[in-house]
Amino acid sequence: MTDTPAPFAPLDDLAVLRWYEVAGVDECVGETPVDRFAADAARAAAARAQPRDAPRPRTPPHPPPAVPRAAEGSAADPAAPAAAAARESAAAVAGRAETLDALRAALEAFDGCALKVTATTTVFGEGAADAALMVVGEAPGADEDRQGRPFCGVSGRLLDEMLASIGFDRSTAYITNVVPWRPPGNRKPTPAEVATCTPFIERHVALIAPRALLLVGGLAASTLIGTTEGITRLRGHWRTHRTPGDAPDVPAMPTFHPAYLLRNAEAKRLAWRDLLAVKARLAEG
């Protein structure tokens, strides 16, 4: 004799919402719900009702989308002038900031990046203003957007452990991102968005003036050392961040992003080598 299994109890609404949050779902598409199970069942019923020998209707092929020709003398990309103007405005605003507080105020007042409209807050940076080690990531995630602090989610906890392994924490290192506003749905920032934010992160590095940069992830590395190589090829090799103006150049160590390490545990041994290289470089004085 076997026990009767307990009836299935569906998750409560709050549990479903928590699961959606963990899975990264943060937006609803459409104003009314769509019962796709019912739609699939209706299509299946219609297919069963159709005689087997009945000819199937042929759907005419869709014509290729028309590509509008640019007007004579105009740019191929109509958004290019606006993007160039945003970059110029960002460079002018960032260049006038003489302190971290001034740079924060400039970022919070800057309206040249559309990401600011969808983000909850501007995630500036955190740590010692005279830190020897500066960590630069890609962009804030959902946790960072809510709390206004860089790397405060699961990836942040791993980053804290990485820094602690070489004798640093959030009070002795400095942590920030290339892009200070969270892209919708945690998508990757577009090249235009990165280009607009680049003057701010370059000024950020110049004001901190660290003795070494730890660039976590390919976007941070490509932005601050000017390369198109992937992070797998870049990591483990010292590069140089060319600081604009009179500020000295900074040695930079690219490594894997903590989020990547959480998904690929075997890469942690390589990241550990990178951290040891940073520790040795800073110990040289």
Side-chain angles (χ1 to χ4, degrees), residues 45 48 59 69 95 116 118 139 151-152 155 163 200 209 237 241 256:
R48 288 193 300 269
T59 302
R69 298 180 58 184
K116 185 179 180 182
T118 57
F151 284 93
C152 61
S155 296
L163 293 176
F200 290 106
H237 303 283
H241 167 61
F256 295 117

Side-chain angles (χ1 to χ4, degrees), residues 143-144 151-162 170 257-263:
D143 293 319
E144 290 77 10
F151 284 93
C152 61
V154 178
S155 296
R157 289 193 289 272
L158 178 55
L159 179 63
D160 289 343
E161 295 175 0
M162 294 167 67
R170 289 178 181 260
H257 194 283
Y260 176 84
L261 297 177
L262 290 171
R263 301 190 303 268

Side-chain angles (χ1 to χ4, degrees), residues 134-140 151 159 174-180 188-190 194-195 197-198 201-202 205 213-232 234-235 239-242 250-258:
M134 184 174 184
V135 182
V136 182
E138 178 177 295
F151 284 93
L159 179 63
Y174 192 91
I175 306 172
T176 188
N177 286 296
V178 170
V179 176
K188 190 177 183 67
T190 66
V194 173
C197 297
T198 295
I201 186 59
E202 288 181 338
V205 174
L213 283 168
L214 182 64
L215 307 179
V216 293
L219 188 143
S222 63
T223 301
L224 290 179
I225 62 180
T227 181
T228 57
E229 292 184 80
I231 191 63
T232 303
L234 287 173
R235 61 137 301 272
R239 301 297 179 101
T240 300
H241 167 61
R242 307 292 180 186
V250 184
M253 172 59 71
T255 192
F256 295 117
H257 194 283

Side-chain angles (χ1 to χ4, degrees), residues 33 52 57 103 123 166 180 196 201 210 230 237 276 281:
R52 292 178 178 268
L103 185 63
V123 182
I166 57 173
T196 300
I201 186 59
H237 303 283
L276 291 179
R281 185 69 173 257

Side-chain angles (χ1 to χ4, degrees), residues 55-96:
R56 294 184 179 180
R58 298 185 61 184
T59 302
H62 294 285
V67 179
R69 298 180 58 184
E72 186 175 355
S74 64
D77 182 4
R87 289 193 295 270
E88 292 177 5
S89 175
V93 170
R96 291 194 294 267

